Amino acid sequence: MYQTIKWEGEERVAWIRLNRPEKMNAMNGTMQAELMEAIKRTKRDEKFRCLVITGEGRAFCSGADLTEMGKDLDYGEILRTAYNPLILELQSLEIPVIAAVNGAAAGAGFSLALACDLRVVHESASFHQAFVHIGLIPDAGNLYFLPRMIGYAKAMELSLLGEAVSAEKAVELGLSSRVIPAASWEKEIRDFAEKVASLPTRAIALMKHCLQKTFETPLPQMLEYEAAAQKAAGRTADHREGIRAFLEKRKARFSGR
């Protein structure tokens, strides 16, 4: 069905694998369109409670396919019509999204990883703010997400110098939550995705909505957002299950409802 990605749906977890390994999963127009369709496909099926995005081969995503970049292109228009809608669609997912960064994430590939909710990295993974090396600025949401994660000064340093960030440094900076050894990569990614998918999905959706507002919202308004979201969370089946499990001294079995 797809030329440049692989999509698969398991019991509770959907997987998107970028599949241009010979090009280090560089994004071309076909991949952008297929990613958009796969994200929408995942959103339509309520059984999915987590999405994992990863890459085939030795790279996560090396960014835009520069071999498709001709002369006199309007990069702003490319962002407005292709990359930006993709990032917004990804951010609109109410289920948690994990970037399983299996190798290099450069340029727009770095931006794609930043747009996910969680990033776990292979021991050989690296992040490259590569735009400066071709005389461009970081885009596709990069300059929105990065300073929120690591602060203005570090975001400026990475953007201005364009130096690679190792897997270990990514954890130190707060870009990633954990480094996974090569020998246990597939198992640990699956175990982590299943753990995330077992959490109270509706509460996570409300959490995401609030966190996405926090940097632009005054405290009184943020308190009201939290109150409204907590009211909704308090009416979910998962909340009732959580209370029962606490009283019965057992692990909660959340249904995502």
Side-chain angles (χ1 to χ4, degrees), residues 88-181:
L88 290 171
E89 189 68 30
L90 186 60
Q91 278 277 289
S92 75
L93 276 178
E94 298 201 331
I95 60 175
V97 183
I98 301 169
V101 183
N102 57 298
F110 189 5
S111 303
L112 178 65
L114 291 174
C116 297
D117 300 308
L118 299 165
R119 282 150 298 283
V120 293
V121 295
H122 189 282
E123 64 182 12
S124 67
S126 56
F127 294 94
H128 303 256
Q129 193 76 310
F131 299 91
V132 71
H133 298 305
I134 55 171
L136 295 177
I137 72 164
D139 58 26
N142 190 298
L143 294 178
Y144 177 88
F145 297 114
L146 191 62
R148 284 164 170 76
M149 292 181 195
I150 66 174
Y152 175 91
K154 273 294 177 185
M156 177 62 80
E157 179 184 330
L158 294 190
S159 301
L160 189 150
L161 298 178
E163 295 175 347
V165 176
S166 68
E168 292 77 13
K169 186 67 174 178
V171 173
E172 181 185 325
L173 288 173
L175 287 174
S176 173
S177 58
R178 66 188 68 188
V179 178
I180 298 177

Side-chain angles (χ1 to χ4, degrees), residues 29-40:
T30 302
M31 181 181 283
Q32 292 159 2
E34 291 183 346
L35 267 172
M36 176 71 86
E37 198 284 329
I39 292 167
K40 290 180 177 180

Side-chain angles (χ1 to χ4, degrees), residues 167-214:
E168 292 77 13
K169 186 67 174 178
V171 173
E172 181 185 325
L173 288 173
L175 287 174
S176 173
S177 58
R178 66 188 68 188
V179 178
I180 298 177
S184 56
W185 171 253
E186 284 293 336
K187 181 182 185 305
E188 289 200 42
I189 287 297
R190 289 189 176 277
D191 289 348
F192 184 63
E194 279 298 327
K195 177 181 179 180
V196 171
S198 72
L199 298 173
T201 312
R202 184 58 188 152
I204 290 172
L206 294 164
M207 199 183 303
K208 286 177 65 168
H209 286 311
C210 287
L211 282 169
Q212 288 168 2
K213 298 175 185 294
T214 189

